[in-house]
């Protein structure tokens, strides 16, 4: 079995890994006796203490158990699904944001996505093998040949007409009536969020966000000198409307930024009724909502959830999307449909970059038109759903007692609450030493709270190394 470490494993680690593999693949079955310590030491030509150490590791992982006067046995494989974390309880006051000091750590997670030896639970990126890169590359080359300038010319704001038509067509799936003219293509969803925030608020303004919140939203708010007001958020139902109503009464909220569909990191998806009420509540107060629908396409069921934008009658919802999670994060293609703020966002996009790279836009437009996007999405959703189950199961088996895990109905991440004694930043650094990346909880909070939480990316291919890395994380936590 491979270990996630670059170093050579110690003898007891090697033995533990082999037995773990035999239990995992069913060679040693639940309830079966494993060789006694003496016998194993003889067979493997290792010392008794090496075997005791290996058995100790597996006992800690709850893979085997010692029965008095009988020896060691494989534990029954009964799988208890971990409990879910509860509603978050952030401080009910606007606060300045201090996450930029963690940017280096986040960059490290991004860098590790290029390392073939790393186990990548950190950045929320899809496994590259799941993406249609060959088809996209072909379409990019064909688009270059089709253009008289070979694709070297500007695709200035608001971006390729062909792509905007496709985005508007797809919006019908989530109940949103858009035309190509409503859409502005941006450099990933990140730029869409940044431009929309600049369009609706300025330095010193208070922005209501979910708690916890995506790192990218927090860095935008911080860099624009705005304040964040965290709203209690439930890991299944999303932002609390009661808490939001109270916040809107008591605080000068200028705008909201929410991720109602398969939130990052919580995975929650708010109901249609909740979305309708949210749209109405904000319309009554003329408060704009930046709705980040980056994960909306990744429902584990065939039902693609609606957007809040589909209930918006006043142009107050600025809908943002991206192709990073479903097609190609490196193409940097996202978009905004900013409602009544369209002109402002168009201007800001022009000031910031004139437009996007031409060919990735055209390749994605062609893929949406002819490449079988729906078929690809069906496969992708199934993969994300399967990986999420495997990951939850492995967490239940290998992480310490008291660990809680979200139960998302879509998206690609799990939010994991660890026993309070565990420090996520320390775990993050230790895991890095073993070439395992995880996203530590503090990057999801304006004041670096959530110190005993981590986020794990399910967009990884499952193999022995993936499982061994989770076992290793569990071991580090116990240590
Ligand atoms: C909630 C959310 N919004 C937006 C983005 C932006 O992604 P990109 O800029 O790659 O489109 C991400 C990426 O992880 C995300 O998780």
């Amino acid at each position: 079995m491979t270990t996630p470490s670059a170093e050579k494993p110690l003898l007891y680690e090697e033995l533990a890994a082999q037995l773990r593999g035999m239990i995992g693949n069913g060679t040693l079955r639940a309830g079966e006796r494993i060789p006694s310590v003496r016998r194993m030491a003889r067979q493997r030509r290792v010392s008794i203490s090496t075997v005791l150490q290996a058995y100790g590791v597996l006992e800690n992982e709850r893979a085997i158990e010692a029965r008095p006067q009988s020896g060691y046995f494989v534990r029954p494989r009964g799988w208890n699904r971990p409990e879910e974390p509860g509603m978050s309880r952030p401080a009910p006051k606007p606060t300045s944001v201090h996450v930029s000091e963690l940017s280096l750590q986040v960059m490290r997670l991004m860098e590790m996505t290029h390392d073939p030896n790393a186990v990548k639970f950190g950045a929320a990126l899809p496994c590259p093998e799941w993406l249609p890169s060959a088809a996209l590359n072909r379409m990019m080359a064909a688009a270059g040949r089709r253009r008289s300038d070979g694709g070297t010319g500007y695709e200035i704001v608001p971006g390729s007409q062909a792509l905007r038509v496709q985005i508007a067509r797809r919006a019908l799936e989530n109940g949103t009536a858009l035309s190509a003219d409503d859409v502005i293509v941006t450099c990933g969803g990140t730029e869409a969020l940044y431009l929309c925030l600049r369009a609706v608020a300025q330095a010193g303004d208070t922005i209501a966000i979910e708690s916890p919140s995506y790192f990218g939203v927090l860095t935008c708010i911080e860099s624009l000198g705005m304040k964040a007001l965290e709203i209690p958020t439930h890991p299944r139902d999303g932002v609390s409307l009661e808490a939001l109503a109270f916040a809107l009464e008591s605080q000068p909220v200028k705008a909201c930024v929410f991720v109602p569909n398969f939130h990052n990191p919580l995975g929650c998806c708010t109901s249609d009724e909740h979305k309708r009420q949210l749209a109405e509540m904000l319309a009554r107060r003329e408060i704009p909502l930046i709705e980040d629908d980056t994960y909306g396409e990744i429902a584990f069921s065939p039902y693609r959830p609606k957007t809040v934008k589909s209930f918006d009658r006043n142009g107050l919802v600025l809908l943002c999307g991206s192709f990073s999670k479903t097609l190609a994060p490196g193409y940097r293609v996202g978009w905004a449909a900013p409602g009544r703020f369209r002109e402002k966002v168009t201007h800001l996009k022009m000031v910031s970059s004139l437009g996007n790279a031409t060919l990735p836009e055209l390749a994605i437009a062609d893929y949406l038109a002819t490449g079988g996007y729906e078929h690809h999405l069906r496969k992708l959703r199934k993969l994300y759903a399967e990986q999420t189950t495997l990951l939850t199961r492995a967490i239940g088996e290998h992480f310490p007692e008291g660990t809680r895990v979200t139960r998302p109905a879509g998206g690609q991440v799990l939010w994991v609450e660890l026993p309070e004694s565990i420090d996520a930043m320390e775990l993050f650094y230790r895991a890095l030493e073993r070439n395992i990346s995880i996203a530590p909880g503090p990057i999801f909070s304006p004041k670096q709270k959530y110190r005993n939480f981590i986020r794990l990316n399910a967009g990884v291919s499952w193999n022995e190394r993936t499982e061994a890395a989770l076992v290793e994380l569990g071991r580090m936590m116990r240590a």
Side-chain angles (χ1 to χ4, degrees), residues 188-190 193 214 264 292 294-295 322 324-325 332:
T190 302
L193 292 172
Y214 166 53
N264 175 8
D292 181 350
T294 295
Y295 295 94
S322 168
S324 286
K325 310 300 170 186
R332 308 306 301 130

Side-chain angles (χ1 to χ4, degrees), residues 132-145 328 331 359-360 363-364 367:
S133 50
L136 284 168
N137 286 342
R138 267 198 316 277
M139 286 178 175
M140 178 124 77
R145 284 195 297 273
Y331 280 26
L359 289 179
I364 290 188
Y367 189 82

Side-chain angles (χ1 to χ4, degrees), residues 20-87:
R20 191 182 296 123
M22 290 168 79
I23 294 169
N25 66 24
T27 312
L28 286 172
R29 279 173 305 190
E32 252 176 21
R33 191 163 199 247
I34 58 172
S36 70
V37 175
R38 267 175 208 292
R39 189 145 164 238
M40 181 61 90
R42 250 196 334 270
Q43 277 176 355
R44 300 294 306 251
R45 292 173 205 227
V46 292
S47 69
I48 294 222
S49 71
T50 299
V51 179
L52 278 173
Q53 253 181 308
Y55 284 12
V57 168
L58 295 174
E59 260 195 302
N60 274 343
E61 290 168 10
R62 290 180 292 146
I64 64 171
E65 62 191 4
R67 294 190 194 153
Q69 278 141 34
S70 310
Y72 286 90
F73 292 78
V74 180
R75 273 178 72 115
R77 260 229 25 101
W79 179 64
N80 286 331
R81 198 172 237 261
E83 299 270 305
E84 287 173 282
M87 170 94 87

